[in-house]
Amino acid sequence: MLNDYFNDPIDQATGQNFGVSPQSLMFERLVSNMQSTLDEEVFFDDTDWPDGFAWGSETDAVWEGLAEDAKLLATFRTRKPADKLLCRAAGVIHRAIRSKSPLELEAAQVKLAQIMQSAAPARVYFMLEEAELSLEQMAERAEADEPGSDLGFTPDA
């Protein structure tokens, strides 16, 4: 059975339950995994794990996987306008994960905001808002870091 990450919250927020496309399922999974990763990074660090567990290298691997997922979705071709928006947003997420500075991350946020100006069904807009929240959380983390430090995830991901 397909795992539908946002369908219940979308149904509650918009009153719409929808059939899923491969693009919407991939986008839901991408954003859900981003949210989980960002939350886990807040609650865990190297001191929470026994010797021998490299939390930093584990999170780098997760971010690299997320970047690859976003890149894959960004290259999907579809004729459905709503799915096209999700694919474009995945490209922005890829760009945000690969950002090497807070300025690059901010540029990705601006691009996502532009995408969100497009006409879209409420269910798609809901998913884009969830992505926007994830990018905001990434930006907050970047601002909290000392100047010159990385963003908390691997820019090469």
Side-chain angles (χ1 to χ4, degrees), residues 12-153:
Q12 293 171 4
T14 67
Q16 296 178 358
N17 195 320
F18 61 96
V20 293
S21 68
Q23 292 85 357
S24 65
L25 275 178
M26 287 181 70
F27 193 82
E28 290 172 15
R29 191 183 92 202
L30 173 65
V31 174
S32 179
N33 289 343
M34 279 181 57
Q35 291 169 340
S36 295
T37 301
L38 287 163
D39 290 345
E40 287 174 11
E41 284 189 27
V42 170
F43 295 113
F44 300 108
D45 62 28
D46 291 332
T47 61
D48 295 326
W49 299 97
D51 292 339
F53 183 83
W55 176 247
S57 64
E58 293 294 320
T59 55
D60 290 348
V62 170
W63 282 112
E64 184 171 335
L66 290 172
E68 290 302 314
D69 289 347
K71 183 178 180 180
L72 176 66
L73 181 53
T75 62
F76 267 39
R77 299 293 177 239
T78 181
R79 292 181 182 205
K80 296 180 181 177
D83 288 341
K84 283 182 182 181
L85 284 177
L86 295 177
C87 291
R88 288 178 54 209
V92 172
I93 290 170
H94 179 260
R95 178 178 168 186
I97 292 171
R98 297 242 185 219
S99 64
K100 296 178 182 168
S101 72
L103 288 176
E104 287 180 51
L105 184 53
E106 184 179 337
Q109 287 180 281
V110 168
K111 184 66 176 170
L112 183 60
Q114 290 171 346
I115 290 171
M116 292 176 70
Q117 296 298 316
S118 302
R123 64 179 175 81
V124 171
Y125 194 77
F126 179 88
M127 289 189 283
L128 293 173
E129 284 179 327
E130 291 296 313
E132 181 181 45
L133 291 173
S134 292
L135 294 188
E136 286 174 7
Q137 190 174 355
M138 291 166 68
E140 288 170 6
R141 180 157 310 145
E143 288 176 9
D145 286 345
E146 295 178 25
S149 66
D150 67 14
L151 298 176
F153 41 87

